[in-house]
Amino acid sequence: RRIWLPNQFFWEDRSMLSRRIFVTTALGAGAVLATQDHKASAQADRRMIVDAQIHLWKAESEDWRWVPGLQPQLPEPFTIERAISMMDEAGVDRAVIVQASCHGTDNRAMLDCIASDPARYRGVAIVDDSVSDAELKRLDGVGVRCARFNFGGNFKLAPSMDAFRRQLERVRALGWSVKIFGFGDDFLAVGDEL
């Protein structure tokens, strides 16, 4: 079967689902979810543009605490207002807002963006045992369609395998996809599980 990766095609002859296929499929699913139920602002003579991953974060303050030891990749906040302005300027019609690691399971920045235009945005939340079933249902109701798990060593947010399995069962019941983040060596310890 033919698998597409940016700038290359290759043939893969496997009967099992590989991590590469899983991740590619999950990203594609995220993009599809972002395009559902939206009255496109795009003109009929051009293709719809979907940004499949935007991270938002607010400056750390009393109301917006970051996960201890984590910082965003850029020094200044990347807010809803900046994202919308840049999307509008670039002609981006829809977007998937992926929860920034620095906010952990405090999904408010992502949810505020989705609430600003629910037909334009979908979300990817960070979830763990601290997120109740009622909160998962609420997230689903406002447009979250995917859970993110960080196995990246720098983030120190990797769940235990038991916790990971619990979360998979919970989000599976909602029909969500799963985004697994990490770097090459981060997956060595959990590769068989994934």
Side-chain angles (χ1 to χ4, degrees):
R1 88 185 120 169
R2 198 156 90 173
I3 306 298
W4 178 83
L5 291 175
N7 301 322
Q8 66 183 23
F9 285 93
F10 67 92
W11 291 92
E12 185 167 301
D13 186 21
R14 295 187 193 172
S15 59
M16 290 182 48
L17 183 67
S18 70
R19 277 181 244 130
R20 180 180 295 124
I21 294 169
F22 176 80
V23 170
T24 305
T25 303
L27 290 175
V32 169
L33 291 170
T35 63
Q36 294 178 350
D37 303 327
H38 179 61
K39 294 176 184 172
S41 60
Q43 298 175 2
D45 62 342
R46 75 173 185 89
R47 292 181 183 211
M48 181 178 299
I49 299 172
V50 178
D51 189 326
Q53 179 166 318
I54 297 177
H55 293 289
L56 302 175
W57 64 90
K58 296 191 175 193
E60 187 172 33
S61 67
E62 291 296 320
D63 294 335
W64 291 95
R65 290 289 179 199
W66 294 343
V67 172
L70 293 186
Q71 294 183 1
Q73 294 176 346
L74 298 174
E76 69 275 354
F78 193 73
T79 62
I80 301 162
E81 295 78 19
R82 283 186 68 195
I84 291 171
S85 172
M86 292 172 77
M87 287 176 59
D88 289 347
E89 183 179 332
V92 175
D93 301 295
R94 296 187 185 141
V96 178
I97 310 302
V98 178
Q99 174 69 359
S101 297
C102 65
H103 290 304
T105 59
D106 182 353
N107 292 292
R108 290 180 293 162
M110 175 201 49
L111 294 173
D112 287 349
C113 184
I114 293 172
S116 74
D117 191 345
R120 190 176 192 186
Y121 305 110
R122 291 293 181 263
V124 176
I126 294 177
V127 298
D128 62 19
D129 287 333
S130 71
V131 178
S132 70
D133 289 341
E135 178 65 2
L136 279 179
K137 287 180 184 174
R138 186 181 80 80
L139 292 170
D140 186 65
V142 298
V144 174
R145 297 293 182 267
C146 183
R148 177 182 184 194
F149 298 95
N150 292 312
F151 284 91
N154 295 339
F155 295 113
K156 311 255 187 277
L157 296 173
S160 70
M161 282 299 106
D162 288 340
F164 181 59
R165 285 186 207 103
R166 281 193 302 275
Q167 300 322 308
L168 290 178
E169 289 304 315
R170 294 172 71 210
V171 301
R172 180 180 293 135
L174 296 169
W176 289 9
S177 60
V178 171
K179 179 179 184 191
I180 300 172
F181 177 78
F183 304 99
D185 289 348
D186 298 326
F187 295 112
L188 292 176
V190 295
D192 290 341
E193 187 71 28
L194 298 178

